[in-house]
Amino acid sequence: MTALRVVQVGPGVAVQDLGRTGLLAKGLTRGGAADRLAVYEGAALLKQPKDLAVLEMVGTGGTFEATADIRVAFTGAEMTVQIDGSAAAWNASHMVPKGALLVIGPTRAGTYGYLHVGGGFDTEPMLGSRATHQSCGLGALVTAGDTLPVGQDSGGEVGLTLPRDTRFEGGTVRIVPSMQTDDFPEETRHRFEATTFRRDPRANRQGIRMDSEGEGFAAPAALGIVSEVIVPGDIQITGDGTPFVLMAESQTTGGYPRIGTVLPCDLPRVAQAPAGASLQFQFVSLDEGAGIEARARADWAALSKAAAPLVRDPAMMQDLLSYQLVGGVVSATYAPLDEG
């Protein structure tokens, strides 16, 4: 069996995919990867379907041993990584030889890092998905001693990379009006847009608290709302006026007023913002939001076209002397074409 054996692993490491749909009425939110864009990026680097299972890592990864030659890719929050003692590039695809140790260390930028394998992780599906949904008790965190089976890999190409974007540094997040947006005074909505928030360390896969200076963002007109359906990206305002952005494992219903909803294509920026990073929210209309989302989905689907050959750093090449480095050398003094 092709697999990765878990020698050592950090806290919060779990198998994820794009989650479960159609189960909201049964009390189960979608779940799945906190950064869905990272899943698409890994699929592009390995030239395989986007719905295969990946390994989500929070803060740090672990040490894994390959039982066979395995193609891998790393996306999301940049982490230190070594393959059998040699440093490997992040946001790129590589080969891990049979018996080699893959060591993924702490995060350098962002929050959630992802390990992809050719063929995907072939764990047992639950309710149509391999995603670990901790708050609902589906699946379990990866622990030392586990063996993670790898599916049949139909590809063979490695050595591809994708350009990094800026979602790991905070920034501007676009939101559309929600059910209770108009219940917030106009002054409060304007102040919400003008405020620079900081991602609070108190965050998990259910929601992220946003801190700011000054008074909160209360909506007196919405104090008596009935609990209703909510979705990832909704921004709930608690009784003290504090915003919480709901994430992949949010609850299915809630009674706090929502000042807006983050566009799905911008939710990875919220997920990846490290503690203390600055975030601002910008309202767009529903029509504008639909257009932005459609363009983002098209860009995500076309990521494989953006994957380019990885230029290896000579400092990372242990087998440097085996390469032909002088085949294209020309003389500055001898020009045979000038000879009669």
Side-chain angles (χ1 to χ4, degrees):
M1 177 182 69
T2 300
L4 281 180
R5 294 195 183 104
V6 183
V7 179
Q8 175 272 330
V9 72
V13 176
V15 174
Q16 298 292 353
D17 55 23
L18 292 176
R20 301 169 178 84
T21 58
L23 297 173
L24 197 61
K26 300 183 183 299
L28 183 62
T29 46
R30 183 189 68 212
D35 181 354
R36 293 167 68 83
L37 174 53
V39 176
Y40 279 76
E41 290 172 334
L45 288 169
L46 293 174
K47 305 293 185 182
Q48 63 185 14
K50 64 183 182 300
D51 56 353
L52 299 181
V54 305
L55 206 61
E56 182 177 88
M57 304 168 289
V58 189
T60 190
T63 301
F64 310 90
E65 181 185 3
T67 66
D69 292 353
I70 298 174
R71 293 193 307 145
V72 299
F74 313 110
T75 66
E78 183 179 359
M79 297 173 165
T80 61
V81 59
Q82 291 186 337
I83 299 174
D84 236 14
S86 296
W90 199 261
N91 232 46
S93 59
H94 307 271
M95 181 66 73
V96 179
K98 178 180 179 179
L101 287 182
L102 170 63
V103 180
I104 303 176
T107 306
R108 287 173 167 169
T111 299
Y112 294 95
Y114 293 86
L115 166 61
H116 313 255
V117 295
F121 288 102
D122 195 23
T123 54
E124 190 69 27
M126 298 169 288
L127 299 178
S129 168
R130 292 181 169 86
T132 302
H133 200 306
Q134 298 176 50
S135 60
C136 289
L138 292 174
L141 296 179
V142 174
T143 61
D146 286 350
T147 296
L148 302 175
V150 174
Q152 182 67 39
D153 187 4
S154 59
E157 188 175 6
V158 292
L160 296 177
T161 186
L162 285 169
R164 298 281 285 174
D165 66 17
T166 61
R167 70 183 187 273
F168 309 97
E169 306 165 1
T172 300
V173 176
R174 293 161 295 190
I175 62 177
V176 293
S178 189
M179 297 292 289
Q180 292 87 37
T181 300
D182 289 339
D183 290 338
F184 290 83
E186 184 177 2
E187 178 276 329
T188 301
R189 298 198 302 270
H190 288 325
R191 186 164 51 85
F192 185 80
E193 274 195 289
T195 297
T196 297
F197 293 92
R198 295 181 307 279
R199 185 207 193 262
D200 193 285
R202 289 167 285 184
N204 55 32
R205 287 177 46 82
Q206 292 181 283
I208 298 175
R209 175 188 169 108
M210 295 291 155
D211 282 340
S212 65
E213 303 293 336
E215 62 180 302
F217 302 89
L223 291 179
I225 65 171
V226 176
S227 184
E228 59 187 3
V229 65
I230 54 178
V231 297
D234 279 346
I235 306 174
Q236 289 187 319
I237 306 296
T238 58
D240 63 357
T242 300
F244 279 79
V245 181
L246 302 184
M247 302 304 290
E249 291 186 13
S250 65
Q251 66 274 29
T252 56
T253 61
Y256 287 120
R258 293 164 291 176
I259 197 169
T261 301
V262 176
L263 292 180
C265 62
D266 280 3
L267 205 53
R269 184 175 296 275
V270 181
Q272 290 290 9
S278 297
L279 290 163
Q280 284 190 294
F281 297 98
Q282 175 188 357
F283 277 105
V284 297
S285 69
L286 287 174
D287 286 343
E288 290 173 325
I292 293 169
E293 189 65 26
R295 290 190 291 273
R297 293 294 177 92
D299 289 342
W300 290 17
L303 276 170
S304 60
K305 298 178 182 178
L310 176 66
V311 178
R312 298 183 68 187
D313 183 347
M316 296 182 178
M317 297 163 63
Q318 289 187 336
D319 53 349
L320 182 61
L321 294 180
S322 69
Y323 283 76
Q324 170 56 270
L325 302 177
V326 297
V329 171
V330 297
S331 172
T333 60
Y334 175 58
L337 294 179
D338 291 340
E339 295 180 354

